[in-house]
């Protein structure tokens, strides 16, 4: 019994060390989720170990209604604790639009815009190209009934609403950005999308887009060619036109259509445009295109057309890659060795059977022979 227990523990530890055991996520609560929930949902510790970073150096701005901004910011801090979160700001390498009170088209500059799809349970309004629209999924991985849907939904993440889900997607984008200095924003999005269901051909649905993000797989796989993802080029063309720096028509339902929705609440105190959308401060000036001075400047050259990729970034930089020390894997190996040693020890302890003489050396029986029957005494 002890032998079987040791072998079972060792095998479980080995599988956990390789990240082969999928962990079912618990949906984040509507309030701020803690870091333990995020680790259970996305195996963030393993993703950090593989990527060699927790999103350090990447700035993420979050705009929208205050309650939704808080939810998205908490999700970002859980999965990418080293990233810098600027609530109420539309500047940084990544900008999260936490609800439909802000039009993603109003975010100027070259930031990667990750927007909540909305929580009306209805079809999304059209949005510009180059925006990562995020749906929310429940514990089983199926879409939440309140999550908006449509052909422009790009990705999904666990959460009771799309604000939390968008925060998790932004956190994973920050981890990939911090670990790959020469990846443009389009490549980061393709890596998140293409690493979810590569075996099934990365099919796209209106409810979950390319699926629920898988941080461990996104950090583990080699760079994925965006052109292999069905429909991805229409969402994120190589030479997409820049988004307008001025606010435009809101992409979600108005407060009059849904007065009780938190996502329809304008951002705190800011001026509004004639179209009804809260004005958003444009991104701060950035360096020249193609430079990688900081983690907040996106390179513009696709890695599959301008030279070799940095898929094996562990060799190029310090701290990255999957070649680091893994205590779980080591523990599994030790348990397996202990189990093997125990089996050998048990076999040596077993008594050896006594030697049996061959039939030719048997001794003839002595004494009177009888049939074994004794008549009763009289």
């Amino acid at each position: 019994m002890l032998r079987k227990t040791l072998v079972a523990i060792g095998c479980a530890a080995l599988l956990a060390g390789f990240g082969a055991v999928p962990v079912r996520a618990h949906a984040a609560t509507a309030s701020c989720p803690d870091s333990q929930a995020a680790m259970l949902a996305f195996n963030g510790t393993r993703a950090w170990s593989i990527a060699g970073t927790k999103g350090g150096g990447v700035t993420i701005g979050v705009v929208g209604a205050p309650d939704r901004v808080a939810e998205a910011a908490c999700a970002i801090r859980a999965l990418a604790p080293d990233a810098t979160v600027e609530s109420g700001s539309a500047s940084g390498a990544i900008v999260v639009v936490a609800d439909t009170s802000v039009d993603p088209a109003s975010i100027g500059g070259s930031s990667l815009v990750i927007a909540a799809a909305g929580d009306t349970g209805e079809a999304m309004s059209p949005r510009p190209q180059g925006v990562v629209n995020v749906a929310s999924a429940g514990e089983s991985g199926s879409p939440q009934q309140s999550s908006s849907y449509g052909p422009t939904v790009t990705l999904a993440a666990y959460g009771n609403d799309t604000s939390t889900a968008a925060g998790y997607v932004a956190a994973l984008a920050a981890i990939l950005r911090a670990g790959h200095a020469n990846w443009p924003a389009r490549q980061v999005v393709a890596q998140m999308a293409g690493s979810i269901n590569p075996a099934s051909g990365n099919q796209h649905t209106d409810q979950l887009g390319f699926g629920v993000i898988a941080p461990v797989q996104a950090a583990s796989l080699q760079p994925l060619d965006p052109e292999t993802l069905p429909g991805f080029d229409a969402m994120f063309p190589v030479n997409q036109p820049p988004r307008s720096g001025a606010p435009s028509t809101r992409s979600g339902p108005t407060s009059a259509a849904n007065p009780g929705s938190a996502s329809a609440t304008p951002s705190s105190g800011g001026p509004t445009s004639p179209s009804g959308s809260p004005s958003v401060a444009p991104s701060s000036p950035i360096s020249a295109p193609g430079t990688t001075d900081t983690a907040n400047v996106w390179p513009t050259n696709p890695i599959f057309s301008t030279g070799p990729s940095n898929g094996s970034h562990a060799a190029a930089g310090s701290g990255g890659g999957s070649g680091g020390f893994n205590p779980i894997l080591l523990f599994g190996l030790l348990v397996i060795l202990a189990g093997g040693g125990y089996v050998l020890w048990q076999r040596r302890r077993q008594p050896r059977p006594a030697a049996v003489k061959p039939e030719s050396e048997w001794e003839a029986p002595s004494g009177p022979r009888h049939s074994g029957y004794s008549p009763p005494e009289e």
Side-chain angles (χ1 to χ4, degrees):
M1 184 64 183
L2 179 59
R3 177 183 61 188
K4 294 181 178 179
T5 303
L6 287 172
V7 173
I9 294 175
C11 291
L14 283 175
L15 291 176
F18 282 113
V21 178
V23 180
R24 174 166 289 189
H26 293 279
T29 59
S31 60
C32 179
D34 59 12
S35 59
Q36 293 180 352
M39 296 306 99
L40 178 62
F42 299 112
N43 201 356
T45 303
R46 179 63 177 157
W48 298 339
S49 174
I50 296 172
T53 178
K54 299 179 182 179
V58 179
T59 300
I60 305 176
V62 188
V63 294
D67 57 335
R68 296 305 182 96
V69 168
E71 290 182 14
C74 287
I76 295 170
R77 293 188 180 102
L79 189 56
D82 288 352
T84 301
V85 181
E86 295 184 354
S87 298
S89 172
S91 62
I94 302 167
V95 173
V96 176
V97 178
D99 60 17
T100 56
S101 66
V102 176
D103 187 353
S106 67
I107 309 299
S110 61
S111 301
L112 172 62
V113 177
I114 299 176
D119 298 286
T120 65
E122 300 175 353
M124 293 174 52
S125 299
R127 289 184 176 178
Q129 293 175 317
V131 174
V132 181
N133 300 304
V134 182
S136 60
E139 180 179 352
S140 63
S142 58
Q144 296 279 17
Q145 292 184 354
S146 60
S147 181
S148 298
Y149 57 88
T152 57
V153 170
T154 315
L155 297 167
Y158 297 110
N160 283 344
D161 55 47
T162 56
S163 303
T164 301
Y168 283 131
V169 172
L172 177 56
I175 291 173
L176 295 176
R177 176 69 192 99
H180 298 271
N182 69 329
W183 283 14
R186 184 173 187 263
Q187 180 62 42
V188 168
V189 179
Q191 191 75 10
M192 292 191 293
S195 60
I196 298 171
N197 296 306
S200 61
N202 298 303
Q203 298 301 315
H204 181 278
T205 66
D206 288 354
Q207 289 73 31
L208 297 176
F210 289 99
V212 179
I213 58 171
V216 172
Q217 294 174 207
S220 301
L221 296 180
Q222 293 294 315
L224 301 171
D225 189 350
E227 304 304 324
T228 63
L229 300 175
F232 187 83
D233 192 59
M235 297 180 181
F236 296 89
V238 176
N239 296 315
Q240 66 185 41
R243 293 180 302 275
S244 170
S248 60
T249 304
R250 68 192 313 153
S251 60
T254 62
S255 57
N258 192 5
S261 172
S263 63
T265 305
S267 299
S268 56
T272 58
S273 67
S275 62
S277 297
S279 298
V280 177
S283 302
S284 56
I286 61 173
S287 303
T291 62
T292 55
D293 296 335
T294 70
N296 293 309
V297 180
W298 293 100
T300 57
N301 295 327
I303 64 173
F304 283 94
S305 61
T306 60
S309 69
N310 67 336
S312 56
H313 63 284
S318 60
S322 58
F325 174 75
N326 191 330
I328 298 179
L329 183 60
L330 177 60
F331 174 74
L333 291 173
L334 291 177
V335 173
I336 290 291
L337 292 175
Y342 177 77
V343 170
L344 293 177
W345 178 66
Q346 285 288 347
R347 289 183 176 179
R348 291 193 176 187
R349 286 189 57 194
Q350 294 177 356
R352 297 181 180 180
V356 179
K357 293 182 178 181
E359 186 176 356
S360 60
E361 297 181 6
W362 288 1
E363 296 180 0
S366 60
R369 298 183 180 181
H370 56 82
S371 63
Y373 170 76
S374 300
E377 297 180 357
E378 296 183 1

